[in-house]
Amino acid sequence: MRNTWDSWASSVPALVHASTLEPCPDLAAAATRLAQAALADQYMVYEAAGGVWHFAAGSAVHLTAHPTTVTARAAGRTWTSPTDGRPLTAFADALTALSAAHGAHDGGRRHFYGWAAFELAHLLHADPGATGDGPLLHALIPSVEVTLTGDRTVVRAVDEAWLRKVADLLTEPTPRQLRLGGTTPDVTERIVADGTAAYGSAVARTVEDIRAGLLEKAVVSRKVPLPAGPPVDFPATYLAGRRANTPARSYLLDLGGHRAAGFSPETVLEVGENGRVSTQPLAGTRARGTDPAENERLRAQLLADPKEIHEHAVSVRLAWDEMAAVCRPGSVAVEEFMTVRPRGSVQHLASRLTGRLRPDAGPWDAFASLFPAITATGVSKRSALQALARHEQGPRGLYAGAVFRGSTDGDLDAALVLRTLIGAGDETWLRAGAGVTAQSSPEREIEETCEKLRSVAPYLRYTTG
């Protein structure tokens, strides 16, 4: 397999052309404009920490992992290798090969952008037979990469033509916008209420499982297909939603068969080149609106709710165990515990754990331990996955998986896919879940999913002409 990936990596063109431009006055709008330009049939916008936006595009070089095979493409050629039951390991090996192949350029550093489907969790933690046969991981190694900050805009590309395309797009006057229709309040409420009766039944069955001792907690979700009508404009929805949300990360993508516009409340993990790793579990929710006094009342209620505190504490406990499995002994610490973070239409209890990777562990080992986020599965993770397979309808796909940006130098930043508009084929949908414990009531968990859906549903934009 190593020879296969070495051959593929040596065929990947280097980003040897670079240009620094003036900063854009509106970073989110600039990144969205690049996405709207259809420069390539695969792209990603990724908002990282510190108000930095990245745009990556180009479909010539990508990597896709299925349960039994990993397929890579570059320079018009295709390579396929078996995974031997370890698709994440094979996927990581292929990306690692890029560093050696590009050692003469930028110190061997290449960035990649991609996603991991939730069903990878079954292979990592539960029943490999429940994984299905769809793609589990997909990564793009871009032909052009743009980094937008308040100080400057940096463009790196495989050739001068890509540099000119991006520079022209960023310096031209604002293009004429398509006529776009928004979602009215009554339509928003119809969307968020779709399927609540069936969801309440799923919550009740999960509570029965918990009280029978099968598990401690499960994050049960419901899928909300959007009604037929004009097509949803993903870039316009992203920009409108980002204006109204306060995410930990945001992303806009058309990549590997998935379309998404999302406002992630938390990261699955963040790994630095120095081996520092952190994760940010959020569990425990109350609504958040425009009335500061009401928000403060709900905040105090959240901090005093035994069910929410218990749900959060068990999530932090399990995240600690998963961090300890890949970190140096004694290095795991809780740097922040049970603060309240605003995330669009909701507010969450939030904690942050940090540690240092063991010398024999890398970013993908940490990913394997922490994925999927405990706050989107349950406790224990294996038992929760089994419960979700019993009580949810159909696979989750991208929902509760991860969207990530990383480099061959060892850094990896992975956002949890929640509060996200998702599309595949002709279907477009939203999805939301709630943490179910022995103290849960179907009515409250239904209400929580509605609160979360309102982080996205009011900002849907439709092409009308």
Side-chain angles (χ1 to χ4, degrees):
M1 186 177 293
R2 170 59 64 187
N3 291 338
T4 296
W5 303 140
D6 288 347
S7 176
W8 169 69
S10 64
S11 301
V12 174
L15 301 183
V16 294
H17 298 267
S19 178
T20 300
L21 309 175
E22 291 297 314
C24 297
D26 186 331
L27 303 184
T32 304
R33 181 190 293 193
L34 292 170
Q36 289 173 320
L39 293 171
D41 59 359
Q42 295 197 71
Y43 72 82
M44 183 190 290
V45 171
Y46 192 82
E47 179 190 1
V52 178
W53 264 262
H54 301 280
F55 171 79
S59 59
V61 183
H62 58 257
L63 185 69
T64 306
H66 287 77
T68 59
T69 60
V70 174
T71 300
R73 183 172 177 81
R77 297 176 59 195
T78 299
W79 293 261
T80 300
S81 287
T83 65
D84 299 324
R86 299 183 300 163
L88 182 57
T89 299
F91 187 81
D93 286 346
L95 291 172
T96 300
L98 285 173
S99 182
H102 290 265
H105 305 289
D106 301 317
R109 182 185 182 90
R110 288 303 303 268
H111 289 115
F112 52 83
Y113 297 74
W115 52 256
F118 181 80
E119 279 62 46
L120 177 64
H122 293 290
L123 192 148
L124 293 173
H125 305 291
D127 177 13
T131 303
D133 57 4
L136 301 177
L137 298 136
H138 183 85
L140 166 75
I141 294 83
S143 299
V144 62
E145 182 178 27
V146 185
T147 299
L148 301 136
T149 70
D151 297 329
R152 59 182 177 171
T153 300
V154 178
V155 186
R156 300 173 66 242
V158 296
D159 57 38
E160 292 284 352
W162 276 107
L163 291 182
R164 288 194 298 271
K165 288 179 188 177
V166 170
D168 289 346
L169 281 168
L170 292 176
T171 57
E172 71 181 9
T174 302
R176 179 181 63 85
Q177 298 293 314
L178 292 174
R179 288 187 292 135
L180 298 170
T183 303
T184 60
D186 61 321
V187 172
T188 294
E189 292 311 303
R190 288 203 300 270
I191 289 172
V192 302
D194 184 31
T196 53
Y199 179 72
S201 297
V203 170
R205 294 194 302 272
T206 305
V207 170
E208 291 175 1
D209 286 352
I210 293 169
R211 292 175 178 173
L214 299 181
L215 69 160
E216 190 171 348
K217 170 190 170 183
V219 182
V220 183
S221 68
R222 60 185 177 99
K223 182 178 179 180
V224 182
L226 297 189
V232 177
D233 186 297
F234 276 75
T237 297
Y238 171 75
L239 189 57
R242 181 60 187 86
R243 301 287 196 223
N245 274 278
T246 50
R249 301 287 187 272
S250 73
Y251 41 81
L252 170 65
L253 62 88
D254 190 341
L255 188 64
H258 287 292
R259 303 184 303 280
F263 319 103
S264 175
E266 65 182 275
T267 54
V268 178
L269 83 165
E270 303 158 47
V271 183
E273 296 171 19
N274 59 2
R276 183 181 187 272
V277 58
S278 70
T279 188
Q280 185 188 36
L282 272 66
T285 306
R286 282 296 184 275
R288 178 175 173 269
T290 58
D291 183 344
E294 176 65 6
N295 288 340
E296 183 57 32
R297 185 188 72 81
L298 291 171
R299 178 182 182 276
Q301 185 186 88
L302 175 61
L303 286 166
D305 188 315
K307 182 263 182 186
E308 304 285 18
I309 292 171
H310 175 261
E311 180 185 348
H312 186 82
V314 296
S315 297
V316 172
R317 184 193 74 208
L318 265 293
W320 178 290
D321 292 342
E322 292 174 346
M323 289 274 287
V326 292
C327 288
R328 297 172 186 265
S331 70
V332 179
V334 179
E335 290 193 351
E336 177 184 64
F337 182 68
M338 221 169 68
T339 59
V340 178
R341 295 288 183 194
R343 292 291 186 254
S345 62
V346 293
Q347 47 191 325
H348 292 293
L349 296 177
S351 295
R352 179 174 291 279
L353 294 84
T354 63
R356 293 280 176 179
L357 290 177
R358 297 193 318 262
D360 61 337
W364 291 107
D365 297 300
F367 186 86
S369 185
L370 288 161
F371 182 86
I374 196 71
T375 51
T377 47
V379 183
S380 69
K381 192 172 279 188
R382 177 184 176 87
S383 298
L385 287 166
Q386 293 169 340
L388 296 178
R390 290 192 298 271
H391 301 312
E392 291 187 345
Q393 294 184 346
R396 287 184 169 187
L398 196 58
Y399 174 80
V403 169
F404 55 78
R405 177 182 186 264
S407 84
T408 53
D409 279 356
D411 59 299
L412 181 64
D413 194 278
L416 174 58
V417 180
L418 302 177
R419 320 294 145 76
T420 297
L421 170 69
I422 303 174
D426 296 329
E427 189 180 8
T428 307
W429 65 93
L430 303 174
R431 193 160 188 153
V436 178
T437 68
Q439 296 80 36
S440 289
S441 70
E443 294 76 18
R444 171 55 199 152
E445 308 310 346
I446 288 171
E447 180 184 8
E448 182 172 322
T449 62
C450 291
E451 291 166 355
K452 292 172 177 176
L453 289 166
R454 293 189 190 104
S455 287
V456 183
Y459 312 107
L460 297 173
R461 297 295 181 263
Y462 303 88
T463 302
T464 61

